[in-house]
Amino acid sequence: MPRGVQRQPVADHQPGCCDVFIELLRACGLICYVACPPVPSVITRKLAFHPPERGMTYRIAMKSDPEKRLKNIRGCRDEPIQLVVRNISNGADYIHSEREVEVFSVTTSNKNDLVCIKCSPDNYSNNPAVSDQVVLFCQPNSSDLGGFLQPNSMNFVTYANVFETDFYAFDYSGYGFSSGTQGEKNMYADIRAVYEKIREMRPDKKIIIMGYSIGTTAAVDLASSNPEGLAGVVLIAPFTSGLRLFSKKPDKPDTCWADSFTSFDKINRIDTRVLICHGDLDEVIPLAHGMALYEKLKNPVPPLIVHGANHHTILSGKYIHVFTRIASFLRHESLVSCRSTEVDSQESSTKKTTDNE
């Protein structure tokens, strides 16, 4: 700067009339998008459901014509299909072996076709309780099957191997390559259709329902009807209801007529055993929600509070004791394992009586 010339102070940028007007337009646009039409179910769908972009993490392909591009699974409902995972780290395609991941479809009562998978472990458990059970997983919001099948990470195939039993999962309506529109009622119809399909395919097996985040609401909704074959429920980072997420009182007794995902009102109707796992650093769904649901359980088991875990890391594989706790639930605390223990106790008691005689 030339000598003798003083630097002029730079004034802070003050928003002008145009800037304020643009921000108002953006706010009005957001409000109109969310609130129009003013129907609670539509507003809930816009606020609560955020599926990943279709094709971002996987695509489906007919085995007879792998290069054919499909909009959703409805286009190949009667064809043998495979799921091609897109490796997020390098963009390469990856296909799990048919032994590891089997793909099938289910049609819901709302006429939506869902992409479903069965992941099989390398070795099945020798524990009779575990061998009589399979797991049905309800995934969190901003994810789809491809996100949970990424190679070289903690994925559904890993879960099957950890739990030593078949592990089922599916994409909700409007997610991935499932047809239809995402929504609360569709999600409840989705899990019911998949559950009934598993019961049809595996009538000799009992089912453990496992829900994560928004998936816990689907798990609670189905479990509260106590369907035949239900052996237990695992809820990971659950919340009491949609509106209670914005309240400092997750255990508020009265439910607003416009509320959604009302697990708080349903969970006390579940007859089977329920395990709740929650991170103490969860900022998306505070731990208080999980504890409020725990207090309403009819048949609780000791919950798992994961110290240091937040909403995204609790099931990432960083906290291995989450998986060991769930595995223990399958072996010792589910309806099947409890009955096995009762049978063993009765047989032992009978044997002792016979020996004494």
Side-chain angles (χ1 to χ4, degrees):
M1 179 180 295
R3 187 174 298 175
V5 178
Q6 294 184 350
R7 183 188 300 271
Q8 296 296 321
V10 178
D12 292 336
H13 174 71
Q14 297 296 328
C17 293
C18 290
D19 294 327
V20 174
F21 182 68
I22 290 172
E23 290 301 319
L24 284 173
L25 283 178
R26 287 175 177 169
C28 290
L30 178 61
I31 292 171
C32 289
Y33 168 75
V34 172
C36 295
V39 179
S41 61
V42 176
I43 294 173
T44 297
R45 175 172 58 81
K46 292 177 179 179
L47 288 175
F49 293 97
H50 305 282
E53 180 183 350
R54 178 172 292 166
M56 186 174 72
T57 65
Y58 82 95
R59 61 182 173 87
I60 51 174
M62 292 190 296
K63 293 181 180 179
S64 60
D65 188 3
E67 299 304 318
K68 183 178 180 180
R69 295 294 172 174
L70 299 162
K71 182 179 179 181
N72 56 52
I73 200 167
R74 182 171 291 170
C76 54
R77 191 163 45 185
D78 300 322
E79 293 277 346
I81 52 178
Q82 61 185 0
L83 195 147
V84 182
V85 178
R86 182 176 180 270
N87 191 326
I88 296 176
S89 62
N90 58 22
D93 285 347
Y94 181 86
I95 300 176
H96 290 271
S97 69
E98 291 186 27
R99 189 200 60 77
E100 289 180 328
V101 179
E102 177 184 334
V103 187
F104 62 100
S105 66
V106 168
T107 302
T108 75
S109 59
N110 294 338
K111 307 303 180 185
N112 295 327
D113 294 295
L114 310 180
V115 183
C116 308
I117 60 170
K118 182 188 83 169
C119 299
S120 302
D122 293 332
N123 298 291
Y124 287 93
S125 175
N126 292 323
N127 185 303
V130 178
S131 63
D132 285 342
Q133 300 173 125
V134 298
V135 178
L136 171 58
F137 184 76
C138 304
Q139 59 195 15
N141 188 0
S142 301
S143 62
D144 58 19
L145 292 176
F148 276 98
L149 285 173
Q150 291 294 304
N152 305 317
S153 66
M154 196 77 173
N155 57 41
F156 285 151
V157 178
T158 313
Y159 295 0
N161 282 314
V162 170
F163 301 137
E164 298 181 306
T165 190
D166 290 329
F167 192 92
Y168 291 85
F170 63 99
D171 270 340
Y172 305 124
S173 296
Y175 277 66
F177 285 82
S178 293
S179 67
T181 303
Q182 60 270 19
E184 183 180 7
K185 290 183 178 180
N186 271 346
M187 185 172 67
Y188 297 159
D190 295 343
I191 183 176
R192 187 168 294 276
V194 178
Y195 186 94
E196 291 173 353
K197 183 66 174 180
I198 296 172
R199 288 286 296 160
E200 177 188 323
M201 296 187 301
R202 313 290 296 276
D204 58 323
K205 302 293 183 181
K206 303 298 183 182
I207 301 175
I208 299 289
I209 302 176
M210 183 188 304
Y212 179 12
S213 189
I214 201 171
T216 62
T217 66
V220 169
D221 183 77
L222 178 59
S224 65
S225 68
N226 297 299
E228 184 178 356
L230 181 63
V233 180
V234 179
L235 304 177
I236 301 163
F239 59 98
T240 51
S241 73
L243 290 181
R244 285 183 176 88
L245 276 174
F246 302 96
S247 169
K248 293 183 179 180
K249 295 182 178 180
D251 57 350
K252 184 172 63 173
D254 298 325
T255 299
C256 174
W257 66 271
D259 207 349
S260 56
F261 307 110
T262 53
S263 294
F264 190 77
D265 297 337
K266 303 172 185 176
I267 199 164
N268 62 343
R269 301 199 294 265
I270 301 175
D271 291 336
T272 191
R273 296 284 187 88
V274 180
L275 167 65
I276 291 178
C277 304
H278 216 124
D280 66 346
L281 297 184
D282 194 326
E283 295 181 351
V284 177
I285 301 175
L287 174 61
H289 282 262
M291 293 300 96
L293 292 174
Y294 173 76
E295 292 298 329
K296 293 198 69 178
L297 289 173
K298 188 185 295 184
N299 285 307
V301 300
L304 176 65
I305 299 174
V306 188
H307 299 290
N310 61 34
H311 195 71
H312 304 290
T313 61
I314 187 170
L315 210 61
S316 65
K318 181 178 181 180
Y319 303 96
I320 196 65
H321 53 291
V322 175
F323 296 90
T324 56
R325 178 68 185 91
I326 296 171
S328 176
F329 177 77
L330 267 63
R331 292 188 181 96
H332 307 296
E333 296 168 304
S334 73
L335 187 62
V336 174
S337 53
C338 289
R339 286 179 176 173
S340 296
T341 302
E342 290 175 1
V343 170
D344 289 343
S345 298
Q346 291 174 358
E347 290 179 349
S348 177
S349 177
T350 303
K351 185 176 184 301
K352 286 182 180 179
T353 303
T354 304
D355 291 343
N356 290 334
E357 293 176 349

